[in-house]
Amino acid sequence: MTKKEIFITSAFTENSVWKQILGICSALAVTNLLMNSLVMGLGVIFTLALSGFTISVIRDFIPKRVRMMVQTLIIASYVIIVDLFLKAYYPEISKSLGPYVGLIITNCIIMGRAEAFAGKNSPLDSMIDGIGAGIGYTIVLLVIAFIRELFGFGTLFGFRVLGDWWTKWSIMVMAPSAFFMLAILIWFINSKTDQKKG
Amino acid sequence: MAEEKIKKSFSETRAYPIVFMVMVTVIFVGILSTFYHFTIDQVNAYRQMKLQESILKIFELPTQNVQAEFSRYISSKETTEINYYIASRDSVILGYCLPIRGKGLWGTIDALLGLSPDLQKILKLEIIDQNETPGLGGRITEDWFKDQFQNKIIINNGIIQTFQLVPEEEKTSAEQINQITGATASSKSVVDMISNNLEAYLPLVGER
């Protein structure tokens, strides 16, 4: 596969969220604001890219039996770097994301890419695969957050878009709406792509 | 060739995974502590700013320029036992602010307790740091819960008032507090934290 194909595959054709249904928990949790979703997405892209790269570099030396421990350790290290960075330079966002930055460690996408791709491919390819998977995840987050923030708060990235006449849909602020949005999104995309195949 | 054989045989021994794991751990912990070292000042500066802002809010003072307002209205007093803050405007004391700490369900709860100038009433409770369960015990940071402590009398017949917990949404009397449904332990922690700290430190506050 060429670098471009790797990227397209992990970001779109084999998208972690709508094809593999991974990383759902965080997609539900942080998507009530676009800003939080963007930061979360960037954190996941960073972690995926660097953990993929690192795991791939040392893939030949990792003893098979402890490989998951090693993966978790590496992933956790990068996540803690993201967490410290946000705490130091973007404390407000860090506060509103709360425990979810730390929970990037448990995001199934990252472990999934480490197992499925980084353990078998070259460092550069693994990094591209990680960036692709991260961007695919971020796109889903942003689409859901766009709808939730618009209807729930009447704002986009904190800027007022809908005037005072707008009645805020409080269900959009709460977690259940993310379930509906995510389900609709997955259904929409998969029905489109299936039609193409048929 | 010979070298490779030795290397391979070591990677098949039982010790290899352990040695490998230790090495990887040391490297990554090293990277993390370096990064931590570079960001800790920034994190502390922000924490300090937030603390000052919370103290100003307790006394309903302006918070546009936190540092300037803080040095204007608030003075801190440090004794060997406790540090606390005194708020005053035009040499009239607005009240005292006592940093309190107690055990929560999962970790330490740090809070600020604003006290009236006569040290008879609570002005405000502000939770600074907590690790309670989000959505359950974590709700101790919600305004409705904290605001219940406003204007509560803390000294009753010369002894420190202890608060009783009653179910959420029930009517409360002067010495009762609505607990958070599903988070009895966290609610109790807050109430206990207040009375324990007052018992220990109230006699030390406000002395000239």
Side-chain angles (χ1 to χ4, degrees):
Chain A
M1 274 204 289
T2 65
K3 309 263 182 266
K4 198 178 161 196
E5 278 169 357
I6 293 172
F7 179 82
I8 299 289
T9 307
S10 69
F12 302 105
T13 32
E14 287 303 318
N15 181 288
S16 302
V17 183
W18 71 68
K19 278 290 175 197
Q20 303 175 14
I21 322 289
L22 292 175
I24 301 294
C25 349
S26 53
L28 301 177
V30 299
T31 49
N32 58 1
L33 290 172
L34 271 167
M35 198 61 200
N36 289 356
S37 308
L38 183 66
V39 173
M40 185 74 178
L42 291 176
V44 170
I45 293 172
F46 174 86
T47 313
L48 267 167
L50 289 182
S51 66
F53 180 81
T54 316
I55 289 165
S56 174
V57 166
I58 58 169
R59 69 185 187 282
D60 291 338
F61 305 104
I62 302 176
K64 272 279 166 294
R65 258 185 280 174
V66 295
R67 71 179 191 287
M68 289 216 165
M69 275 164 75
V70 177
Q71 286 164 3
T72 316
L73 183 90
I74 291 167
I75 293 165
S77 303
Y78 287 119
V79 172
I80 293 169
I81 287 175
V82 173
D83 195 26
L84 284 174
F85 177 80
L86 287 179
K87 273 203 181 109
Y89 301 105
Y90 298 95
E92 298 296 335
I93 290 175
S94 167
K95 210 162 184 185
S96 70
L97 282 172
Y100 294 110
V101 175
L103 287 176
I104 294 176
I105 296 171
T106 61
N107 191 322
C108 342
I109 297 173
I110 302 173
M111 196 84 169
R113 292 330 290 170
E115 270 287 290
F117 200 96
K120 298 169 196 142
N121 291 282
S122 76
L124 198 63
D125 286 357
S126 302
M127 198 164 162
I128 291 166
D129 173 74
I131 294 170
I135 286 175
Y137 169 79
T138 309
I139 290 170
V140 175
L141 249 59
L142 288 178
V143 168
I144 297 173
F146 178 86
I147 297 164
R148 287 183 72 188
E149 187 175 341
L150 186 65
F151 291 126
F153 295 97
T155 60
L156 288 177
F157 280 108
F159 292 108
R160 184 146 289 286
V161 178
L162 301 171
D164 290 332
W165 49 270
W166 177 255
T167 311
K168 291 169 187 167
W169 299 8
S170 46
I171 181 130
M172 280 298 183
V173 181
M174 296 186 294
S177 70
F179 269 104
F180 299 131
M181 296 316 307
L182 188 66
I184 292 169
L185 188 78
I186 292 171
W187 169 56
F188 180 78
I189 291 172
N190 286 343
S191 68
K192 286 281 166 209
T193 46
D194 280 352
Q195 264 173 14
K196 243 186 248 165
K197 268 184 221 158
Chain B
M1 209 56 195
E3 205 184 314
E4 185 139 325
K5 208 175 175 194
I6 292 163
K7 204 174 163 191
K8 207 178 173 200
S9 65
F10 178 63
S11 70
E12 279 164 2
T13 59
R14 282 180 186 223
Y16 179 68
I18 299 169
V19 173
F20 183 85
M21 207 58 217
V22 169
M23 261 168 49
V24 174
T25 309
V26 167
I27 292 167
F28 276 91
V29 169
I31 294 170
L32 281 186
S33 38
T34 317
F35 198 78
Y36 176 80
H37 185 77
F38 279 113
T39 53
I40 187 70
D41 289 342
Q42 192 81 23
V43 174
N44 282 340
Y46 175 77
R47 206 170 277 166
Q48 181 74 13
M49 203 272 284
K50 272 282 150 197
L51 179 75
Q52 294 185 346
E53 195 182 350
S54 304
I55 294 170
L56 288 170
K57 274 186 184 156
I58 281 181
F59 300 107
E60 286 161 6
L61 291 163
T63 51
Q64 283 90 3
N65 185 344
V66 172
Q67 239 169 2
E69 316 279 12
F70 188 83
S71 52
R72 187 168 155 206
Y73 295 112
I74 313 285
S75 57
S76 67
K77 184 153 178 174
E78 294 177 17
T79 67
T80 46
E81 289 95 351
I82 53 158
N83 303 333
Y84 63 94
Y85 304 93
I86 305 163
S88 52
R89 193 195 321 236
D90 308 326
S91 69
V92 177
I93 289 184
L94 298 171
Y96 300 90
C97 175
L98 186 64
I100 57 175
R101 171 174 281 193
K103 242 197 228 155
L105 182 63
W106 301 120
T108 316
I109 301 175
D110 275 308
L112 292 169
L113 197 61
L115 301 171
S116 63
D118 58 4
L119 296 173
Q120 297 290 316
K121 276 194 301 189
I122 293 174
L123 287 180
K124 205 170 179 182
L125 171 74
E126 193 58 57
I127 308 281
I128 300 292
D129 206 11
Q130 53 88 16
N131 295 303
E132 302 308 287
T133 324
L136 289 171
R139 291 176 65 207
I140 58 173
T141 58
E142 285 178 10
D143 284 340
W144 73 267
F145 183 75
K146 292 185 298 186
D147 290 351
Q148 293 187 79
F149 293 94
Q150 254 172 46
N151 295 324
K152 288 280 183 202
I153 308 282
I154 49 175
I155 296 180
N156 194 356
N157 293 330
I159 54 163
I160 302 287
Q161 177 74 58
T162 48
F163 301 104
Q164 281 110 45
L165 292 167
V166 295
E168 201 171 324
E169 314 219 328
E170 223 168 79
K171 275 219 159 108
T172 53
S173 62
E175 66 275 7
Q176 288 176 328
I177 296 290
N178 285 129
Q179 69 180 34
I180 298 161
T181 306
T184 311
S186 300
S187 313
K188 191 162 168 17
S189 303
V190 174
V191 169
D192 287 349
M193 171 176 74
I194 291 173
S195 44
N196 289 344
N197 279 276
L198 283 176
E199 214 152 283
Y201 300 123
L202 192 62
L204 306 166
V205 176
E207 285 171 336
R208 290 296 105 86

